[in-house]
């Protein structure tokens, strides 16, 4: 029971790193970066390869983020030609291309077909061993906290002001002297970086990397987590992730009839999400806020 | 049409210091439509220049092109001796050309104060590193910007609304805020696209005074698109008349009211 609880908390920490960076893009900048699963996957694969090659953990987790950031940089050349829904579609396409490439390429190099990467080691770092679950939780929580502090400080700085302006009206932001393209490239790279770090944590925690972990289902999960409470809030992304991970687990203890437990859980989950969003919109309507973050 | 004789500038005592904006043979095409067609004109530094013409004559396209939102198909826009035609909007803004929009475009989900703070150029805290670390240099610059922004809020009379979301302001207040925002970039030229449209009479008077003040006290060159001739008569020293993307007359308001081409194209009998 204790291990189970720690497991849930670790998942919340890892997903939070992913969703906080997504909030930076969608909630603050108005960029629907739907390639989040690809950056997550790239971070995970990079970590798995580097870990096998004996790269020290602190360097390897940083490099996993850096590799994903570089991929985001390259993707930005194509994706930033477009805006709004079109940008979303291109980045979603990029995500699927990455997943399918990983699927097919790994199958090509292995006689056994597509088996993913098995046995990624739990990290050791500065004489500490993060093999046990509580230790890994401390590591994951530390990285989540660091991500939270960095992103929160960033959105409450002049930089944050510019990206919120881009969300509200990109052309006008340009007209008042901001190189909006550069800001968007930087945001994409930050998103890639933190998603890559989350991927690295994931690989070390699950100890197994496979393309089926990075399907559009993951994107739906991230999107729901971020939009649930407030997409323009770094803390809201953590709350959303906690809800999306923990709520289905809590329903295990409701004593639902076994014959229809699967369907009932989904039904309750769906209803709860709808109710939360409705309450959110109601509250916002009173404040006279517009609700759509992207154009 | 570019060889229309320039009728202005003789016998006028006001600051004809020099040309700040020199537009030469500017053409902007959208497919087969020639929105601006070989337009040439000069804007003198420190003046208020009016831009009039019937709907669809290319006034807004002209402003959009000067500020880099459209790239011209041909021609030059020389600002302080440098050709800025085809530059990106942010590059042009950094050289000191600001604008407002026909229908105000603020950042509706940001506060009134943030709408001003953001417009300051060269903010150290706009880099990712310094934004996160926020060293003393960023914080001290931030308080300077804050002071400047509060000054402009006072100037346009919106101080008590500083924490309100810009999207919640009345239309007249939004127009005022838009002018305050563009002042934050320290412009030497401001292009105002119909600043009086949809503003109630009280605020019109306030806006008028504001524009005169910006010009007279701060020496800002102003280019003004406006349909109300009464306002033009009061504000503009020179009026440029456009029709079908070309300049058809230029002169003082009194001259334009006598100019046959201008009367036929725009003013009516």
């Amino acid at each position: 029971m204790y291990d189970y609880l720690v497991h849930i908390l670790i998942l919340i920490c890892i997903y939070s790193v992913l969703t906080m960076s997504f909030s930076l893009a969608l909630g603050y900048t108005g960029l629907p970066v739907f390639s989040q699963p690809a950056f997550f996957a790239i971070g995970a694969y990079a970590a798995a390869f580097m870990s096998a090659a004996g790269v020290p953990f602190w360097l390897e987790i940083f490099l996993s983020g850096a590799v994903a950031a570089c991929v985001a940089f390259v993707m930005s050349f194509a994706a930033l030609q477009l805006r709004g829904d079109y940008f979303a579609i291109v980045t979603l396409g990029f995500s699927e291309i990455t997943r399918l490439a990983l699927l097919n390429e790994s199958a090509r190099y292995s006689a056994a077909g597509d088996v993913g990467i098995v046995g990624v080691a739990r990290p050791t770092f500065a004489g500490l061993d993060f093999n046990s679950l509580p230790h890994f939780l401390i590591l994951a929580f530390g990285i989540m906290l660091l991500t939270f502090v960095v992103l929160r400080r960033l959105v409450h700085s002049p930089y944050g002001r510019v990206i919120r302006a881009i969300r509200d009206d990109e052309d006008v932001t340009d007209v008042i002297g901001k190189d909006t393209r550069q800001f968007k490239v930087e945001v994409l790279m930050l998103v890639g970086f933190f998603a890559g770090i989350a991927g690295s944590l994931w690989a070390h925690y699950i100890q197994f990397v496979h393309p089926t972990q990075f399907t559009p289902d993951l994107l739906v999960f991230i999107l729901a987590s971020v939009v649930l409470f407030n997409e323009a809030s770094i803390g809201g992304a953590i709350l959303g992730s906690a809800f999306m991970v923990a709520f289905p687990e809590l329903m295990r203890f409701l004593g639902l009839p076994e014959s229809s437990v699967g369907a009932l859980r989904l039904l309750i989950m769906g209803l709860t999400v709808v109710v939360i969003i409705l309450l959110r919109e109601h509250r916002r309507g009173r404040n006279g806020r517009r609700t759509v973050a992207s154009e | 049409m570019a060889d229309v004789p320039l009728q202005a500038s003789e016998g006028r005592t006001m600051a004809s210091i020099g040309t700040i904006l020199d537009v030469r043979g500017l053409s902007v095409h959208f497919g087969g439509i020639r929105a601006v067609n070989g337009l040439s004109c000069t804007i003198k530094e420190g003046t208020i220049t009016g831009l009039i013409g019937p709907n669809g004559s290319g006034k807004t396209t002209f402003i959009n092109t000067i500020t880099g939102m459209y790239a011209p198909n041909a021609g030059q826009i020389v600002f302080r001796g440098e050709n800025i035609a085809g530059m990106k909007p942010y590059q042009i803004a950094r050289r000191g050309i600001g604008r407002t929009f026909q229908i105000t475009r603020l950042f509706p989900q940001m506060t009134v104060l943030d709408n001003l703070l953001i417009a300051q150029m060269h903010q150290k805290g706009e880099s990712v590193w310094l934004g996160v670390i926020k060293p003393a240099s960023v914080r001290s610059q931030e308080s300077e910007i804050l002071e400047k922004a509060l000054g402009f809020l006072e100037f346009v009379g919106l101080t008590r609304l500083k924490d309100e979301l810009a999207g919640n302001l009345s239309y007249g207040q939004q127009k005022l805020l838009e002018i305050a925002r563009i002042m934050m970039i320290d412009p030497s030229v401001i292009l105002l696209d119909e600043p009086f449209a949809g503003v109630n009479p009280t605020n019109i008077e306030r806006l008028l005074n504001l524009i005169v003040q910006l010009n007279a006290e701060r020496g800002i060159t102003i280019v003004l698109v406006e349909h109300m001739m009464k306002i033009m008569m009061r504000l503009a020293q020179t009026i440029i008349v456009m029709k079908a993307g070309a300049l058809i007359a230029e002169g003082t308001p009194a001259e334009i009211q006598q100019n046959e081409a201008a009367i036929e194209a725009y003013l009516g009998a």
Side-chain angles (χ1 to χ4, degrees):
Chain A
M1 182 64 201
Y2 174 72
D3 276 357
Y4 171 64
L5 196 66
V6 174
H7 166 71
I8 303 291
L9 289 174
I10 290 173
L11 285 184
I12 291 173
C13 290
I14 295 176
Y15 281 127
S16 291
V17 175
L18 203 52
T19 54
M20 280 188 282
S21 68
F22 190 67
S23 169
L24 178 77
L26 181 76
Y28 286 91
T29 324
L31 282 175
V33 192
F34 287 176
S35 48
Q36 197 79 331
F39 301 146
F40 190 59
I42 288 160
Y45 269 87
F49 283 128
M50 281 190 276
S51 172
V55 179
F57 174 69
W58 62 270
L59 180 65
E60 173 240 289
I61 191 167
F62 176 80
L63 286 178
S64 303
V67 169
C70 290
V71 172
F73 178 70
V74 173
M75 185 195 77
S76 74
F77 284 96
L80 287 181
Q81 308 279 332
L82 302 164
R83 287 190 190 182
D85 297 346
Y86 303 98
F87 175 87
I89 291 166
V90 165
T91 52
L92 179 60
F94 178 80
S95 192
E96 280 296 272
I97 289 166
T98 307
R99 183 176 67 82
L100 293 173
L102 288 171
L103 192 67
N104 292 321
E105 290 305 302
S106 56
R108 230 169 68 182
Y109 294 115
S110 161
D114 173 45
V115 291
I117 300 176
V118 192
V120 184
R122 287 274 165 78
T124 53
F125 170 50
L128 297 167
D129 185 358
F130 294 104
N131 196 22
S132 78
L133 280 185
H135 285 152
F136 199 92
L137 175 61
I138 294 170
L139 174 73
F141 184 77
I143 288 173
M144 181 191 84
L145 200 64
L146 199 65
T147 308
F148 174 75
V149 170
V150 166
L151 290 181
R152 224 186 114 80
R153 285 182 74 88
L154 186 64
V155 297
H156 288 106
S157 72
Y159 189 91
R161 213 153 50 206
V162 177
I163 60 174
R164 280 184 292 137
I166 291 174
R167 172 195 67 195
D168 276 14
D169 195 327
E170 184 174 340
D171 293 331
V172 174
T173 313
D174 213 325
V175 162
I176 58 172
K178 312 294 174 195
D179 185 354
T180 52
R181 204 198 121 78
Q182 193 196 326
F183 280 96
K184 291 198 291 183
V185 171
E186 286 170 4
V187 166
L188 286 182
M189 290 180 72
L190 282 169
V191 167
F193 180 75
F194 286 107
I197 286 194
S200 170
L201 273 178
W202 171 267
H204 284 291
Y205 180 59
I206 303 295
Q207 301 184 286
F208 168 59
V209 181
H210 190 270
T212 48
Q213 295 163 339
F214 312 108
T215 59
D217 285 357
L218 176 64
L219 175 67
V220 173
F221 178 88
I222 298 167
L223 201 53
S225 306
V226 170
V227 175
L228 195 56
F229 293 109
N230 182 357
E231 71 271 5
S233 161
I234 302 297
I238 298 180
L239 280 183
S241 307
F243 177 86
M244 290 296 290
V245 173
F247 193 72
E249 302 292 339
L250 285 174
M251 279 191 285
R252 283 179 203 279
F253 306 105
L254 285 180
L256 297 169
E258 244 170 71
S259 56
S260 52
V261 64
L264 277 176
R265 279 175 68 188
L266 284 177
L267 188 70
I268 296 172
M269 182 79 184
L271 276 175
T272 315
V273 168
V274 169
V275 167
I276 291 176
I277 301 250
L278 282 177
L279 285 174
R280 190 194 104 152
E281 293 307 299
H282 179 68
R283 197 183 67 228
R284 286 194 166 192
R286 277 210 309 263
N287 293 337
R289 269 177 189 259
R290 290 197 327 188
T291 49
V292 181
S294 54
E295 354 177 18
Chain B
M1 295 295 275
D3 55 353
V4 170
L6 302 182
Q7 304 169 344
S9 81
E10 273 169 306
R12 282 196 291 148
T13 49
M14 36 130 297
S16 39
I17 311 153
T19 300
I20 191 163
L21 206 51
D22 187 2
V23 178
R24 300 172 191 159
L26 191 70
S27 290
V28 187
H29 304 164
F30 301 111
I33 298 165
R34 292 158 187 267
V36 175
N37 195 5
L39 181 87
S40 295
C41 65
T42 58
I43 310 290
K44 294 256 184 290
E45 185 158 13
T47 60
I48 298 180
T49 303
L51 187 57
I52 62 173
N55 291 326
S57 59
K59 303 182 298 290
T60 297
T61 305
F62 175 74
I63 288 184
N64 284 344
T65 311
I66 301 273
T67 50
M69 297 183 82
Y70 300 149
N73 297 71
Q76 289 188 318
I77 303 164
V78 180
F79 175 69
R80 294 192 191 284
E82 179 188 20
N83 184 16
I84 58 167
M87 281 187 184
K88 296 258 171 63
Y90 75 90
Q91 295 170 318
I92 290 171
R94 284 177 188 178
R95 283 164 172 76
I97 300 181
R99 70 165 295 181
T100 64
F101 293 85
Q102 196 168 351
I103 294 159
T104 53
R105 286 173 76 171
L106 296 163
F107 303 116
Q109 295 184 77
M110 291 167 67
T111 66
V112 166
L113 190 58
D114 273 351
N115 265 272
L116 295 192
L117 295 176
I118 186 199
Q120 174 66 42
M121 295 283 168
H122 309 300
Q123 296 193 35
K124 296 191 188 88
E126 281 176 6
S127 87
V128 174
W129 300 121
L130 294 181
V132 172
I133 298 161
K134 291 198 189 88
S137 63
V138 169
R139 277 176 282 137
S140 73
Q141 193 192 25
E142 188 73 357
S143 58
E144 280 167 33
I145 299 168
L146 181 67
E147 204 165 309
K148 179 173 164 190
L150 289 173
F152 282 124
L153 271 187
E154 186 80 51
F155 182 60
V156 297
L158 292 176
T159 309
R160 72 187 169 83
L161 293 170
K162 68 179 162 62
D163 296 320
E164 188 63 60
L165 291 180
N168 294 346
L169 298 188
S170 77
Y171 196 63
Q173 289 167 336
Q174 293 194 13
K175 291 260 177 190
L176 290 167
L177 182 57
E178 208 184 20
I179 290 178
R181 180 178 67 190
I182 211 61
M183 287 306 296
M184 288 294 290
I185 77 167
D186 301 313
S188 46
V189 178
I190 302 183
L191 305 133
L192 301 169
D193 196 355
E194 299 198 25
F196 301 100
V199 179
N200 69 44
T202 331
N203 277 332
I204 284 193
E205 201 53 39
R206 201 152 142 205
L207 260 176
L208 263 172
N209 290 331
L210 214 87
I211 292 169
V212 170
Q213 259 180 297
L214 291 180
N215 177 249
E217 290 170 15
R218 294 170 190 268
I220 295 171
T221 308
I222 288 170
V223 179
L224 182 69
V225 174
E226 183 48 57
H227 284 295
M228 284 181 273
M229 271 315 278
K230 246 168 50 185
I231 289 177
M232 276 301 191
M233 295 295 287
R234 258 181 80 178
L235 281 180
Q237 287 123 14
T238 309
I239 291 181
I240 293 168
V241 188
M242 277 180 79
K243 187 190 173 189
L247 182 147
I248 58 167
E250 186 175 1
T252 64
E255 285 166 352
I256 291 299
Q257 286 192 312
Q258 306 299 321
N259 184 299
E260 273 179 33
I263 293 168
E264 195 192 324
Y266 182 62
L267 300 175

